[in-house]
Structure formats: structure tokens, C-alpha cells
Amino acid sequence: MRRIDTLWIPAPLRSGAASAPRFLQSRAYTLGLALVMSLGLITGCGGGSPKEQPKNKLIPPVVVANPSVAPATPKSESPKPAKPGKALATAKVVQLPPGTDPNSVFDISAINQPMEVGPRIANPLEQFIVEAGRPGVDSTQMIVAAVEPVAKQTPKAGFTLPAGFVPLPDAGYSPDGLPLRIRCEKVGSVLALVPGGVARIGTNAGPSECQPEISVHVDTFYMEVFEVTVPQFEIYRQDQKEKKKPVPTTLNPAAPPRHPVLGVAWGNAQFYARWAGMDLPTEAQFEKAARGPNNLRTPWGDSRAIWPNNRTPETLTIVGAYAGDMSPYGIYDLAGNAREWCSDQYSDHAHREAIGTSGQVPHNWSGPKKASMANARLVKGNGPDWSAWHRQGREVGKGYPDVGFRCVLHIANAESKAGD
């Protein structure tokens, strides 16, 4: 499977700028390796040949000179001769093809330095597409295709958000005119738009409780970009205390800000969501948000994860700590960090029951009618291979040190194209 992503390199960092930092003023032979590593962060290591050529007009690959630069020698010391048996590298210079625009050539070194790819583009003229997996293109070359400016979308006439939620216009609008980001005023959390449509959940080749893969239709909804944090849950606890209502407990009340709240029993997570004007997500919504419009295996694609440091399914950090764990809709930590409560009852045979005998695609499927484990609800995330279809059941009356949650907002007066 091939995936094309848009990268952003600010104008001052492009070749030709006098102020370009040192890491862009080095040897060109590292370009291919650095690019492969950065593409791995975005799409993984997979990618086959595409079935059709891209519609964008392509700029031919540029071959850049690969000079050998002698190491700098301190002024106070004499140059040391090379050790016997180790010959100095011979300079290999390749001239750029006639007519090559110098602004389209850049060098990358310091390949172990972190590279951040952000979802927001400051200037349409600074966009380009990098394609991988093309026949005849090796790891030292890349193809850059221009990106046509996207027309600015406008708000949908007549669309209103529920009370307590406001749009964030700077984040833009969808082709249907829905705000891409909104904010819950009660707790300050930001929610991302997840367009409705048919989505695949489960798998035909994984654990039996995740089988079979089924198709479901999900209406458009919003999901919190990050898991509910300790300070956000504390707002709810204080509100309950002031109203002289039972105050729910957690297992990490002293955790630093931006850490997901842990140890909240399912019922208290549901009460919080309702108090904030939202709900817990269904399994179908969780997988739709994690797998994106192309039904990927993980939020980042179909290949293995590449983390900047050691990360396991048991690793717990602040929310959004791993940029690679971001879904196509810009939602973080759907693969790792805290496991998350869903609204569904848990059954080992939930997907088989969803198919039934009608053969129809379930609409807004909310899980099985009966749990296969007494008082069990569904928990998603943190599968052994990060697959979005991983699922398990936990008792609703207990708080678990590895389970948190996030909320979704259902919107009644919005329709999205089924193909989104």
C-alpha cells in the first residue's frame, strides 16, 4: 500500500538561503538516507508500486554533487596523517543538469536529529509531495511534485454546535463546511472532526475476539484530540464536590499536568463525559478515528512503528508525546499511552453478532446487546503490534492503572459524504 504525505519545509530553510542552518549545509549523499528515515516516521517501511501515475506535474529527480570534505584541524595542532591501510575518500563531483533550479536542491545531514512533520501548513507555496516506492527510483533520489493550492472552505450555512462548544476558525473547515477543530468550553479540550462514512473494523487474521473484519456506517462526529488529562478530570471532581455529590477517585491525582487520568471506573468516565456534554466513543468510532478514511492497520499506516525512543504498549507518558501516534484526523495516542474505555459492552463474538443474517451494513453500531463477561465493557488501544483492532474487556466497577478515556461529540445537523 502506498501513502503520499505532505511535508513542510519553511522558506528560510530551503537551499539558497544565506541563513540556512548548518544541518542543511552539508553533503548531499545523506539526502536519500535522511529522507527514507523521515518517510519511515510518516508511512513506515512498506509501500508497493502504485497502480497509476500521480496527476501532479513532476519535476525530474536532481542529482547533487557529493564532494568529500576534509575534517577540520585545530590551529594548535598539526594535521595527523591517515592511519596505514585507510585511504582518504576521493572527491566525487557530479554536475547538476543544465537548467536546474538551485532552489529545488537542498542537502540534509545530522540524520540522527529529530524531524517534525506538522499537520498545519503556513504557506501553500511551501508545500510539496514526496513519493516513495516508484520503480526505478532508489533511496538516493526523490520525486517532488507541486501541490495545487486548496481553496479556502467556508462555514456551512445553518450548522450550529451544541451549547458549550465553539469552533476554532483558524483550524479551517471541511469541504462540507464543518469546523475541523472545536473546543469544549467546560474543560478546554480540543476536538477533531471525523467525517462519517463506511469504515472497516476488526480483522480477518488477528485474535479470535477481533474477528471477523466488518463494515459499519458511522455518522460524522468529533473526538477529543488527546485523552482526558488529570487537570481536566479534577475540574469535574471539584464540581461534584461543590454540589455535594460523590467525588470519583483516580489512581494518579498527583501526576503532572498533561498526563492522562488513570484508574477511573467505567461508570465515572461515562458520568464525566455526560457532564461535559459528550459521550464515550463506540468501538466503531474509535477505529474510524484511528484508522482514517483508508482503513489503515494503525494510525500511521500498515507498517511497523518507529519511535524516537523505546516505547512499549505499557509505556505511559504525557498526552501527545509521540508525534508518530497521530491518526489521519490529527488525533493522538489511539495506538498507545493509556488504554481507553469505550461505551460498548464487551463480547468475544461482538463482530460476528454485528453481521447477523441480514447482510446489511450496520449503521452507528454500538456494540453487542449482551456481554460475554459479566459487567464488562470494551477497552481499546495498546495492542501488542499497535493494531487499531485490538480489543479487550474490563470490569466496569474497577479502576485500572493503565486505563483512561476520551470523549466524543455527536452532531445531529451535519451530513458528510459517504466516501470521506
Side-chain angles (χ1 to χ4, degrees):
M1 180 175 183
R2 181 172 65 100
R3 179 178 173 188
I4 300 177
D5 289 270
T6 302
L7 307 181
W8 170 43
I9 296 183
L13 300 186
R14 288 179 288 181
S15 178
S19 61
R22 180 180 179 185
F23 75 91
L24 291 178
Q25 300 175 353
S26 184
R27 296 183 291 274
Y29 71 91
T30 57
L31 171 61
L33 179 57
L35 186 59
V36 168
M37 293 183 69
S38 65
L39 284 174
L41 290 173
I42 304 171
T43 64
C45 301
S49 299
K51 295 182 180 180
E52 58 182 18
Q53 297 296 327
K55 296 180 180 180
N56 306 82
K57 183 177 180 181
L58 300 181
I59 300 173
V62 177
V63 181
V64 187
N66 181 14
S68 175
V69 180
T73 305
K75 294 182 180 179
S76 59
E77 298 180 4
S78 300
K80 295 182 180 181
K83 294 181 180 181
K86 294 186 177 181
L88 295 175
T90 303
K92 180 181 179 181
V93 179
V94 180
Q95 297 297 327
L96 296 175
T100 299
D101 182 2
N103 290 327
S104 68
V105 181
F106 59 91
D107 303 341
I108 299 177
S109 65
I111 61 176
N112 289 325
Q113 297 300 315
M115 177 178 179
E116 180 177 353
V117 180
R120 291 178 292 184
I121 303 299
N123 187 340
L125 298 179
E126 295 173 346
Q127 298 183 44
F128 63 89
I129 289 177
V130 177
E131 293 190 342
R134 295 281 306 279
V137 179
D138 62 27
S139 62
T140 65
Q141 298 175 304
M142 71 175 179
I143 295 179
V144 177
V147 177
E148 294 294 333
V150 179
K152 185 177 180 179
Q153 306 296 336
T154 57
K156 180 179 180 179
F159 172 76
T160 57
L161 290 167
F165 296 86
V166 294
L168 300 178
D170 290 344
Y173 292 84
S174 73
D176 294 326
L178 304 181
L180 296 177
R181 296 289 185 275
I182 64 175
R183 183 175 65 246
C184 173
E185 294 184 301
K186 209 161 193 177
V187 295
S189 63
V190 174
L191 291 83
L193 176 70
V194 180
V198 175
R200 294 200 302 269
I201 68 173
T203 177
N204 292 322
S208 60
E209 67 272 12
C210 304
Q211 295 187 32
E213 179 183 87
I214 62 174
S215 294
V216 297
H217 188 281
V218 180
D219 286 345
T220 298
F221 64 96
Y222 284 91
M223 174 177 276
E224 288 186 303
V225 173
F226 302 112
E227 296 157 322
V228 174
T229 63
V230 171
Q232 288 170 339
F233 197 77
E234 184 61 25
I235 297 174
Y236 170 63
R237 295 180 76 252
Q238 291 302 318
D239 180 81
Q240 298 300 99
K241 183 177 181 179
E242 292 173 4
K243 294 177 180 177
K244 300 187 184 303
K245 293 183 178 181
V247 179
T249 60
T250 69
L251 293 181
N252 63 336
R258 293 187 59 77
H259 271 258
V261 64
L262 303 172
V264 179
W266 181 89
N268 289 330
Q270 181 78 313
F271 285 142
Y272 170 94
R274 298 287 174 82
W275 167 81
M278 297 180 281
D279 291 287
L280 292 178
T282 64
E283 179 177 18
Q285 289 174 326
F286 188 98
E287 287 205 33
K288 171 68 173 174
R291 301 175 70 171
N294 295 320
N295 299 296
L296 304 171
R297 181 179 65 82
T298 71
W300 54 86
D302 292 330
S303 56
R304 66 183 180 89
I306 300 179
W307 308 123
N309 49 47
N310 184 37
R311 190 193 198 196
T312 72
E314 309 308 319
T315 301
L316 291 169
T317 65
I318 62 172
V319 297
Y322 291 86
D325 192 354
M326 181 182 72
S327 84
Y329 303 116
I331 302 172
Y332 289 83
D333 297 327
L334 290 171
N337 217 17
R339 293 170 171 84
E340 300 181 27
W341 286 117
C342 288
S343 62
D344 311 42
Q345 295 191 92
Y346 178 78
S347 172
D348 292 331
H349 313 292
H351 293 181
R352 295 181 178 87
E353 295 174 10
I355 297 175
T357 58
S358 65
Q360 299 294 322
V361 175
H363 182 73
N364 288 335
W365 181 63
S366 57
K369 296 180 179 180
K370 185 178 180 181
S372 62
M373 297 169 51
N375 300 317
R377 293 282 174 167
L378 181 70
V379 168
K380 294 286 287 181
N382 299 63
D385 61 352
W386 310 107
S387 294
W389 55 66
H390 183 73
R391 59 198 306 273
Q392 58 179 290
R394 297 283 182 94
E395 288 188 38
V396 297
K398 294 182 178 180
Y400 297 89
D402 60 343
V403 176
F405 67 100
R406 77 178 77 213
C407 305
V408 296
L409 175 68
H410 301 108
I411 47 177
N413 55 343
E415 291 294 334
S416 184
K417 299 176 182 178
D420 288 346

